[in-house]
Amino acid sequence: MKVLLLFAWLFIFPVNSFAQKIKIMKTDTVQQTEIRNAIEQYYFKGIYEGNTELLKQVFHKDALLFGDIKGVPYYKTATQYIEGVGSRVSPQKSGKDFKPTIISIDVINTIATAKLNVKMYDFNYYNFITFHKIDGKWLIVNKTLTDVEL
């Protein structure tokens, strides 16, 4: 009787129905390369040179920036941020160190995130950038940042 109940249970509740289904995502190196280029050629270069035109090309016009700098909450629209970059002395002109690093890039379909470290002036920023591919172009739609003591 026990054997019959065991077989009945196995037919009613198949063993594999409890197994977790895992979908393996393929890494799309083409998309990662496009994002890396957007970061290096527009974002990093724009910040370093104080080039607002480069930044306008990589930020979506409605992007928002959130975070904290030296413990103070930070919030800006993309327009406010880009204007601020344009009005300050650029790292290039200041002669101060500028060391940007891409830590990681993750892509799923038309969205992506990038974790960056940007050392400039007396700051050690960590940025989490969200990209969205719009009309064939990777644009920054959100940036969060924090400053960590060196």
Side-chain angles (χ1 to χ4, degrees), residues 90-134:
S90 71
Q92 181 182 38
K93 289 181 180 170
S94 74
K96 298 227 178 190
D97 285 342
F98 180 77
K99 186 177 179 192
T101 306
I102 298 173
I103 297 169
S104 65
I105 298 172
D106 294 308
V107 183
I108 301 175
N109 297 326
T110 62
I111 61 167
T113 59
K115 182 179 178 183
L116 314 173
N117 179 231
V118 181
K119 294 178 183 174
M120 57 187 261
Y121 305 115
D122 295 324
F123 296 96
N124 181 28
Y125 293 114
Y126 281 88
N127 297 177
F128 295 90
I129 308 283
T130 305
F131 286 87
H132 188 204
K133 192 167 193 176
I134 301 170

Side-chain angles (χ1 to χ4, degrees), residues 27-45 58 100-107 112-116 131 138 140:
T27 302
D28 188 339
T29 55
V30 172
Q31 304 288 19
Q32 285 188 344
T33 299
E34 289 176 1
I35 294 165
R36 181 175 297 280
N37 288 338
I39 294 168
E40 292 172 347
Q41 299 303 314
Y42 295 93
Y43 181 67
F44 286 161
K45 190 173 180 181
V58 75
T101 306
I102 298 173
I103 297 169
S104 65
I105 298 172
D106 294 308
V107 183
T113 59
K115 182 179 178 183
L116 314 173
F131 286 87
W138 287 101
I140 296 171

